[in-house]
């Protein structure tokens, strides 16, 4: 009997050890990521913020997925045709695409997704995608309620064929369709969930590489497990992913050093200290920070010489080197260098010094323009209020020092407010100068140009230049890639000669990635990383 009990005990120990080993291996194959935000929503068609997008990315399958080398690659789509006028796309879906519950995905699910975004009853914040990033046919009429959603320019030809009709050509459409709100929507599943849709693992339905199995708002973390029904499941090496919010960069670095996180975002002094670390990755940015002004009520900002003086007096290099540090670059043009590649393979903004006639640091020219501007305004000194968020206090001290030392008779009155107050005041036009960061949704110059069109809802400063508007309209109708980029270059020339806004700096990404993790690539914006197809080596 004793021998029998001993044998049972040994077997039990072996079984428990085996379970522990399997659990440890499973944990080792999970990618643990510390992020600085928590999702505002996990409902793909309702999201418009970058924070929610990074949580949605692992679970959202889309027609296309972004690729660091090829730009975009088909994911749930297999191929597409484009009409001669550039306004009708016909997409052919891959066979066998399914949701994480095993149900098939068909063209109607994409139709329902776009109709849901455009439907005024949904009140989706993602409406800008189908209304501004590309012009889906009849989107305005559907969104204002004068047309039914079934009149929207999207329909299923059959289960495997999706047709999207635009009001004007959009050569970067595949990039936009790689955004999370453009993922399929299962109307029957959502109806069954009712008001609880997208609020828990049971009410979330994945179409991507992973599905959510733990959604813990109190713990500020979301856990994902590999989706066995994903069409490219054989390419997914990770067993799971955990995204956990950390309150600040210091906490992120501590979790990385403790081995609790495999990937963290860093910045400022922490990034500067990490630059020689072989696990440090710095990504080029697609997030432009610029100084804007009120063209309606600020007479000084309306004066080109004053704008030029402010730009020439701005030492962007020293701000980046001494204050912003790693992950940032000086911005000397409207399109960041390294952001967009033309059809011929050239960087659209290859020469960062191309617009030195308006964006070089030149105190002498700053003084000359300042003197002319004051004379044109009929004043001997000038005081302007600068609206920004309280997080920029130190940056504003630097800017105030540079401007007031270089420009005689200038006083900068900095107004620090909360983020909510900033956007409220900016949208109301209650400011003279302001600092704004604009992140591109797709890797095309139009992502930055469009916000300065006179009719753009994002053009709060009310900048208006007829030549700039005309060139952007010409580019929007041009289907030849080479000709289109040529027109866009002319548009940037006009804007930078006019200096409609003052480019300040570009924010990219700075990350620490464990040496055991391979296959992580930067998003084109530089601020987030793509990790769904990464691989994590198990510890020996």
């Amino acid at each position: 009997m004793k021998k029998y009990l001993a044998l049972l005990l040994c077997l039990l120990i072996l079984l428990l050890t085996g379970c522990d080993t399997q659990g440890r291996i499973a944990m080792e194959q999970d990618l643990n990521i510390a992020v600085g935000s928590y999702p505002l929503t996990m409902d793909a068609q309702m999201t418009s913020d970058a924070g929610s997008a990074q949580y949605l990315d692992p679970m959202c399958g889309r027609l296309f997925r972004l690729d660091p080398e090829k730009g975009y690659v088909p994911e749930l789509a297999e191929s597409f045709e484009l009409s001669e006028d550039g306004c009708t796309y016909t997409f052919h879906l891959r066979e066998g695409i399914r949701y994480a519950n095993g149900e098939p995905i068909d063209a109607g699910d994409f139709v329902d997704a776009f109709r849901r975004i455009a439907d005024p009853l949904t009140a989706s914040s993602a409406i800008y995608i189908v209304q501004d990033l590309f012009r889906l046919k009849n989107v305005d009429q559907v969104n204002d309620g004068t047309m039914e959603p079934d009149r929207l320019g999207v329909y299923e030809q059959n289960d495997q064929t999706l047709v999207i009709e635009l009001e004007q050509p959009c050569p970067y459409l595949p990039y936009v369709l790689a955004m999370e709100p453009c993922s399929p929507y299962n109307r029957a599943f959502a109806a069954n969930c009712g008001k609880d849709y997208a609020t828990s693992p049971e009410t979330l339905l994945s179409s991507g590489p992973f599905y959510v199995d733990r959604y813990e708002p109190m713990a500020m973390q979301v856990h994902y497990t590999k989706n066995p029904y994903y069409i490219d499941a054989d390419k997914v090496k990770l067993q799971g992913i955990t995204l956990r919010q950390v309150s600040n960069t210091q906490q992120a670095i501590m979790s990385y050093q403790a081995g609790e996180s495999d990937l963290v975002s860093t910045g400022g002094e922490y990034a500067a200290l990490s630059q020689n670390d072989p696990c440090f990755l710095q990504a080029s940015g697609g997030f432009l920070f610029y100084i804007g002004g009120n063209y309606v009520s600020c007479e000084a900002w309306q004066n080109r010489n004053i704008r030029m003086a402010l730009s020439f007096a701005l030492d962007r290099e020293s701000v980046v080197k001494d204050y912003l540090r790693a992950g940032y670059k000086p911005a000397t043009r409207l399109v960041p260098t390294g952001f967009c590649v033309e059809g011929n393979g050239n960087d659209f903004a290859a020469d960062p010094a191309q617009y030195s006639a308006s964006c070089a640091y030149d105190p002498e020219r700053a003084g000359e323009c300042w003197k002319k501007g004051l004379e044109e305004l009929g004043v001997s000194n000038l005081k302007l209020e600068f609206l920004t968020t309280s997080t920029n206090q130190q940056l504003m001290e630097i800017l105030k020092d540079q401007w007031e030392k270089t420009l005689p008779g200038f006083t900068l009155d900095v107004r620090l407010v909360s983020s909510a107050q900033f956007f409220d005041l900016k949208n109301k036009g209650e400011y003279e100068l302001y600092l704004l960061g604009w992140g591109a949704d797709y890797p095309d110059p139009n992502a930055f140009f469009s916000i300065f069109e006179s009719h753009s809802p994002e053009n709060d400063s009310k900048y208006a230049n007829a030549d700039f508007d005309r060139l952007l309209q010409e580019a929007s109708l041009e289907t030849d890639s080479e000709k289109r980029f040529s027109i866009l270059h002319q548009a940037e020339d006009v804007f930078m000669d006019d200096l409609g806004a003052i480019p300040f700096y570009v924010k990219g990404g700075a990350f620490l990635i464990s040496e055991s993790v391979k296959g992580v690539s930067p998003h084109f914006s530089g601020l987030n990383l793509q990790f769904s197809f990464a691989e994590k080596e198990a510890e020996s």
Side-chain angles (χ1 to χ4, degrees):
M1 178 63 68
K2 288 181 180 179
K3 289 181 179 179
Y4 180 68
L5 289 172
L7 180 60
L8 282 176
L9 182 60
C10 287
L11 286 170
L12 182 59
I13 291 172
L14 285 171
L15 284 170
L16 289 173
T17 304
C19 289
D20 284 344
T21 301
Q22 290 174 5
R24 178 174 59 81
I25 292 173
M27 287 185 66
E28 287 175 349
Q29 290 177 315
D30 272 17
L31 186 65
N32 299 294
I33 305 172
V35 296
S37 62
Y38 197 68
L40 299 178
T41 178
M42 291 293 281
D43 185 338
Q45 279 74 48
M46 295 295 287
T47 189
S48 62
D49 65 293
S52 297
Q54 66 180 340
Y55 282 87
L56 284 163
D57 180 70
M59 60 167 284
C60 287
R62 285 143 279 178
L63 293 170
F64 300 95
R65 185 167 284 271
L66 297 179
D67 181 271
E69 296 180 358
K70 299 178 182 178
Y72 65 85
V73 293
E75 185 179 21
L76 300 185
E78 183 174 58
S79 61
F80 71 91
E81 291 102 37
L82 178 60
S83 62
E84 195 170 315
D85 65 359
C87 290
T88 302
Y89 285 78
T90 303
F91 299 94
H92 304 283
L93 305 186
R94 296 171 68 177
E95 292 186 9
I97 53 177
R98 295 180 178 275
Y99 291 104
N101 63 359
E103 292 185 15
I105 300 170
D106 61 37
D109 294 339
F110 288 97
V111 173
D112 287 337
F114 287 114
R115 287 180 179 173
R116 185 167 180 248
I117 291 172
D119 191 334
L121 297 178
T122 306
S124 171
S125 60
I127 182 64
Y128 78 100
I129 292 176
V130 296
Q131 205 167 37
D132 298 324
L133 301 192
F134 66 93
R135 297 286 304 168
L136 196 52
K137 186 177 179 180
N138 296 333
V139 65
D140 289 340
Q141 295 89 331
V142 170
N143 191 241
D144 66 17
T146 57
M147 274 189 184
E148 292 299 314
D150 61 7
R151 297 284 303 278
L152 195 66
V154 55
Y155 61 91
E156 56 180 314
Q157 211 168 68
N158 53 56
D159 284 351
Q160 297 295 117
T161 309
L162 172 71
V163 178
I164 293 180
E165 296 179 329
L166 309 180
E167 293 182 350
Q168 61 187 40
C170 181
Y172 47 83
L173 181 64
Y175 288 104
V176 180
L177 295 178
M179 296 174 68
E180 289 75 16
C182 300
S183 58
Y185 171 72
N186 188 309
R187 182 168 49 177
F189 177 87
N192 188 55
C193 296
K195 62 181 178 59
D196 295 324
Y197 176 66
T199 61
S200 67
E202 297 75 25
T203 60
L204 284 166
L205 185 56
S206 167
S207 53
F210 296 87
Y211 66 89
V212 175
D213 58 358
R214 292 201 305 275
Y215 183 20
E216 306 171 22
M218 295 301 292
M220 295 295 187
Q221 68 178 15
V222 179
H223 183 269
Y224 309 78
T225 290
K226 180 177 177 178
N227 176 10
Y229 290 104
Y230 179 58
I231 189 66
D232 288 322
D234 59 323
K235 297 178 182 178
V236 180
K237 307 303 180 185
L238 297 170
Q239 293 303 307
I241 298 173
T242 297
L243 291 184
R244 180 170 60 89
Q245 184 189 17
V246 291
S247 58
N248 53 53
T249 303
Q250 182 180 8
Q251 186 181 352
I253 298 296
M254 289 174 64
S255 72
Y256 176 80
Q257 292 174 338
E260 298 170 355
S261 299
D262 302 305
L263 191 162
V264 300
S265 176
T266 183
E269 61 180 314
Y270 296 101
L273 292 171
S274 303
Q275 282 187 294
N276 294 325
D277 190 319
C279 296
F280 178 78
L281 172 66
Q282 183 169 334
S284 296
F287 207 97
L288 173 72
F289 282 78
Y290 66 89
I291 297 168
N294 197 323
Y295 281 96
V296 176
S297 60
C298 183
E299 186 179 359
W301 181 257
Q302 295 168 8
N303 185 283
R304 181 177 178 274
N305 275 312
I306 296 295
R307 299 197 299 272
M308 296 290 282
L310 294 173
S311 180
F312 286 135
L314 188 58
D315 189 352
R316 299 166 177 81
E317 289 280 354
S318 69
V319 172
V320 169
K321 180 182 177 182
D322 300 331
Y323 173 66
L324 297 172
R325 302 185 181 181
Y328 294 83
K329 292 181 180 179
T332 54
R333 55 189 302 167
L334 194 53
V335 178
T337 300
F339 166 73
C340 172
V341 177
E342 299 182 29
N344 56 15
N346 294 332
D347 183 351
F348 181 88
D351 183 7
Q354 181 174 341
Y355 297 107
S356 58
S358 58
C359 282
Y361 175 52
D362 192 331
E364 184 177 343
R365 291 172 70 187
E368 293 171 357
C369 290
W370 182 252
K371 183 179 178 181
K372 290 179 183 178
L374 293 181
E375 290 174 353
E376 290 166 353
L377 294 173
V379 297
S380 58
N381 53 65
L382 190 61
K383 181 178 180 179
L384 293 174
E385 183 182 82
F386 198 113
L387 178 70
T388 189
T389 61
S390 54
T391 55
N392 289 324
Q393 181 175 355
Q394 189 175 348
L395 178 63
M396 287 302 102
E397 290 173 0
I398 297 170
L399 184 62
K400 178 180 173 68
D401 182 65
Q402 288 187 1
W403 276 351
E404 292 184 351
K405 282 184 177 178
T406 308
L407 307 174
F410 182 45
T411 301
L412 186 68
D413 184 12
V414 178
R415 184 180 181 186
L416 299 172
V417 297
S418 68
S419 180
Q421 287 177 302
F422 171 81
F423 285 105
D424 180 56
L425 293 169
K426 181 181 71 71
N427 294 342
K428 292 177 178 177
E430 297 179 13
Y431 64 86
E432 289 184 313
L433 306 181
Y434 67 90
L435 175 67
L436 184 68
W438 181 262
D441 289 307
Y442 50 96
D444 187 271
N446 193 66
F448 295 103
F449 295 166
S450 62
I451 63 175
F452 293 106
E453 284 188 276
S454 58
H455 64 271
S456 170
E458 303 297 338
N459 186 6
D460 295 315
S461 69
K462 305 305 178 186
Y463 169 75
N465 183 301
D467 289 336
F468 183 71
D469 284 352
R470 175 183 54 78
L471 288 166
L472 291 190
Q473 179 62 19
E474 286 182 17
S476 71
L477 300 174
E478 181 56 66
T479 57
D480 182 279
S481 176
E482 186 175 345
K483 291 179 181 178
R484 176 176 177 271
F485 278 114
S486 176
I487 296 170
L488 291 175
H489 277 293
Q490 295 175 50
E492 189 176 21
D493 290 344
V494 169
F495 186 88
M496 293 306 299
D497 181 66
D498 202 16
L499 202 61
I502 301 174
F504 193 179
Y505 58 88
V506 175
K507 182 179 181 181
F511 308 92
L512 283 170
I513 305 173
S514 170
E515 60 184 359
S516 64
V517 176
K518 311 297 179 186
V520 173
S521 58
H523 185 266
F524 68 83
S525 70
L527 298 185
N528 294 328
L529 293 176
Q530 297 171 295
F531 44 76
S532 291
F533 297 93
E535 187 171 357
K536 183 178 176 182
E537 298 173 356
E539 295 180 7
S540 56

